[in-house]
Amino acid sequence: MIFTQRRKGGKGAFAPFACLRENPCMAIASINPSTGETLKTFEALSAQQIEEKLQLAADTFRTYRGTPFAERTRMMIRAADILETRKHEFATIMTTEMGKPLKAAVSEAEKCAWVCRYYAETAPQHLADEVVETNARKSYVHFQPLGPVLAVMPWNFPFWQVFRFAAPALMAGNVGLLKHASNVPQCALAIEEIFRDAGFPAGSFQTLLIGSDAVEGILNDPRVVAATLTGSEPAGRSVASIAGKQIKKTVLELGGSDPFIVMASANLDEAVTTAVKARTINNGQSCIAAKRFIVAAEIYDEFERRFTSKMQALKIGDPMEESTDIGPLATPQIVNDLDEQVKKAVASGARVLTGGKKLNRPGNFYEPTVLVDIDVNTPVSCEEIFGPVAMLFRAANINEAIQIANATPFGLGSAAWTNDAKEQTQFIEELEAGSVFINGMVASDPRLPFGGVKSSGYGRELAEFGIREFVNIKTVWIGATDHTDNTDDTE
Ligand code: NAP
């Protein structure tokens, strides 16, 4: 059944929640990727329930926007405390819903606490008025919240992606509506509970258990003023075009095919160890995982030998076990997509040095895989590969390394290993990416901006750039009481 709900009059003028599925409850489910067991299913919100939540968000914003920073800070610090105190409980929910190793899930909960504390402390200075000298008696820039912001989020860092949006948004005085990925509903509900238990008013952060088909109606609703999406390119295009028609601000954090370049002067031991970690972090399902390893010809053979041996040595298994390096992929579909990409690469001439197939056991397990001899003219060479599959490329010199690195529609992160200062500068200047990490792996940090260029999206999260995405940057100009002339012929 397809229906459109129209409301006449009332506070919100028009709420078209189009094409909510006939049986949406099956789509929102926790399924343990290690076993395939369905842990819990959830019924998607009805159009009426969505309407109530949107209205609550709009009503809450009217008062919440006026809460003093000191009060928001107190609540945000409480959220951080809850995350730290209950990190094992939250980590278990993450691991059983999407398969990341438990130890990584614990670190994720800790990092969420960090971003809460970071914005609790820094939001007042990031959003303080900025005085600008002009011909006015006084002129300054004043930052104000925008209103209810819709956050469409992915499952791969099911807490971190949400907190890095929610902490700055709430500190800025906005309110959040979370549409989380349909396979992590328990994470979504736990996050809502954290903010509630921290003292934030009920309407300041709400989880909407809905499928992606309900997003359009919500974005079209005048009470929702902006959206942020972290996810795939198709989802980003869809959300941005709907929001664009409504002239609503969006931030997009999309996919990546990050290069990891190793030059002859690099510390090879460290580069190889970091390369394996950078490819297999989060079972290989990270937007900023290194996906293409571009190695200088002089050291290529040695890098290939050491890297392959380390990939073979990784322990795949139950993500709840401390010794596990790689757990299952989040869904059977991801395993199938990954396997298809490997087969496509092999069909176009690539060789598999290790791995290359699903594991013959219950759960969504895929062998850590190394591909070489990849034709740089084939689409798979620059696609996002979301799983523990590494592609190795040989580069004759730095210019060729940069050319291969930039030969992708994506531009999220990039890493380059070299101890030559001139090469470092060339990488920083010429890599087409939102970040360049020299002699390290790409990682997010609340103090540094995070985001991409090209098809990896636009806008930034984290640092002062992130908190200023969803604010009205208001110019205030106050003339002298005896008149200041600011007439101008231009706009
Ligand atoms: P996804 O399929 O795009 O889903 C992400 C979110 O978007 C989910 O909540 C999903 O809901 C929703 N969605 C999907 N299609 C939509 C549509 N047409 N309209 C509105 N909402 C839609 O991505 P994913 O598989 O969960 O996550 C993996 C992708 O995210 C990768 O490409 C990865 O690189 C990217 N990612 C990027 C970053 C970054 O910071 N740049 C960080 C992490 C992940 P349903 O689950 O209900 O379909």
Side-chain angles (χ1 to χ4, degrees):
M1 180 181 71
I2 291 179
F3 70 91
T4 300
Q5 181 197 323
R6 283 166 192 274
R7 294 189 307 109
K8 288 195 190 123
K11 292 176 188 165
F14 179 52
F17 302 125
C19 59
L20 297 178
R21 282 172 295 218
E22 194 171 324
N23 189 12
C25 53
M26 293 312 292
I28 302 177
S30 289
I31 299 172
N32 188 334
S34 295
T35 60
E37 183 196 354
T38 300
L39 305 169
K40 226 167 175 176
T41 57
F42 295 83
E43 203 165 322
L45 296 180
S46 66
Q48 184 54 37
Q49 287 169 316
I50 296 174
E51 161 57 29
E52 283 162 17
K53 285 180 184 283
L54 294 192
Q55 194 53 46
L56 179 61
D59 291 342
T60 304
F61 176 63
R62 273 192 285 279
T63 47
Y64 180 71
R65 64 177 300 169
T67 35
F69 269 126
E71 197 177 329
R72 290 181 213 162
T73 295
R74 226 178 1 258
M75 294 186 285
M76 197 54 77
I77 287 173
R78 232 179 284 144
D81 292 342
I82 294 168
L83 279 157
E84 274 159 4
T85 314
R86 294 170 59 191
K87 63 186 176 189
H88 291 284
E89 179 196 334
F90 298 137
T92 305
I93 301 174
M94 290 186 233
T95 299
T96 50
E97 278 199 319
M98 53 66 66
K100 70 173 61 209
L102 187 70
K103 58 193 173 197
V106 171
S107 305
E108 185 168 334
E110 288 168 348
K111 191 160 175 179
C112 293
W114 180 19
V115 81
C116 290
R117 290 192 198 289
Y118 169 78
Y119 277 114
E121 283 161 19
T122 60
Q125 80 217 33
H126 289 329
L127 299 178
D129 290 347
E130 279 181 13
V131 173
V132 181
E133 294 299 328
T134 66
N135 62 340
R137 178 167 63 82
K138 184 176 182 188
S139 49
Y140 61 97
V141 184
H142 182 56
F143 301 95
Q144 289 184 312
L146 290 182
V149 181
L150 175 68
V152 182
M153 290 289 152
W155 46 265
N156 62 340
F157 291 90
F159 268 54
W160 171 241
Q161 306 292 358
V162 177
F163 274 92
R164 77 182 187 186
F165 152 73
L170 291 173
M171 284 307 298
N174 293 305
V175 303
L177 292 159
L178 169 66
K179 182 271 175 274
H180 216 326
S182 295
N183 57 330
V184 289
Q186 297 196 69
C187 288
L189 292 169
I191 295 167
E192 184 184 56
E193 186 187 306
I194 290 168
F195 284 118
R196 212 177 37 238
D197 290 353
F200 285 95
S204 61
F205 185 90
Q206 299 179 83
T207 283
L208 309 177
L209 288 183
I210 51 173
S212 56
D213 47 7
V215 166
E216 181 166 7
I218 293 169
L219 273 173
N220 284 334
D221 191 287
R223 289 165 292 190
V224 174
V225 297
T228 181
L229 177 134
T230 301
S232 61
E233 204 185 325
R237 282 185 201 285
S238 170
V239 163
S241 54
I242 298 162
K245 283 192 198 126
Q246 302 291 337
I247 319 189
K248 291 180 183 177
K249 169 98 187 256
T250 48
V251 166
L252 298 181
E253 295 287 357
L254 308 179
S257 182
D258 286 8
F260 186 108
I261 302 166
V262 188
M263 300 303 288
S265 66
N267 178 327
L268 195 57
D269 252 359
E270 272 184 37
V272 170
T273 304
T274 309
V276 170
K277 185 166 180 209
R279 175 56 282 198
T280 57
I281 184 169
N282 211 36
N283 305 336
Q285 306 159 117
S286 167
C287 54
I288 48 168
K291 288 159 189 149
R292 297 173 300 134
F293 298 85
I294 303 159
V295 185
E298 306 93 294
I299 52 161
Y300 177 88
D301 291 337
E302 188 57 18
F303 180 93
E304 181 189 285
R305 192 182 62 73
R306 292 198 210 176
F307 181 81
T308 306
S309 144
K310 280 191 189 289
M311 286 289 275
Q312 279 165 338
L314 293 171
K315 187 176 167 215
I316 317 174
D318 181 355
M320 297 299 284
E321 274 179 28
E322 182 66 29
S323 59
T324 295
D325 297 307
I326 299 194
L329 303 184
T331 66
Q333 183 65 44
I334 294 166
V335 179
N336 290 339
D337 291 349
L338 189 64
D339 201 41
E340 276 304 305
Q341 283 177 302
V342 171
K343 285 186 175 134
K344 244 182 358 183
V346 170
S348 58
R351 271 188 307 128
V352 177
L353 293 189
T354 187
K357 56 183 186 308
K358 307 175 196 177
L359 284 193
N360 188 15
R361 57 174 279 180
N364 314 325
F365 293 91
Y366 200 89
E367 288 180 336
T369 299
V370 179
L371 296 175
V372 296
D373 299 344
I374 299 133
D375 181 349
V376 288
N377 298 311
T378 54
V380 74
S381 69
C382 59
E383 281 173 7
E384 178 172 46
I385 296 197
F386 224 55
V389 176
M391 295 191 283
L392 269 50
F393 299 86
R394 189 190 299 260
N397 52 48
I398 185 168
N399 292 331
E400 194 186 18
I402 292 172
Q403 189 193 332
I404 298 170
N406 289 342
T408 168
F410 296 108
L412 194 53
S414 62
W417 286 67
T418 171
N419 285 311
D420 178 320
K422 215 167 130 233
E423 286 182 348
Q424 291 181 355
T425 305
Q426 191 175 346
F427 285 126
I428 292 164
E429 290 304 320
E430 295 183 17
L431 285 172
E432 296 167 0
S435 65
V436 180
F437 282 65
I438 302 290
N439 296 334
M441 65 182 265
V442 181
S444 59
D445 179 322
R447 299 162 295 187
L448 291 168
F450 184 95
V453 294
K454 296 158 76 177
S455 294
S456 291
Y458 51 74
R460 290 292 178 267
E461 292 192 295
L462 304 176
E464 71 265 38
F465 301 92
I467 199 168
R468 288 183 177 184
E469 287 286 2
F470 295 117
V471 291
N472 176 11
I473 301 171
K474 188 181 263 182
T475 294
V476 181
W477 189 97
I478 304 168
T481 42
D482 59 350
H483 181 66
T484 310
D485 182 13
N486 72 324
T487 53
D488 192 345
D489 291 336
T490 51
E491 242 181 347

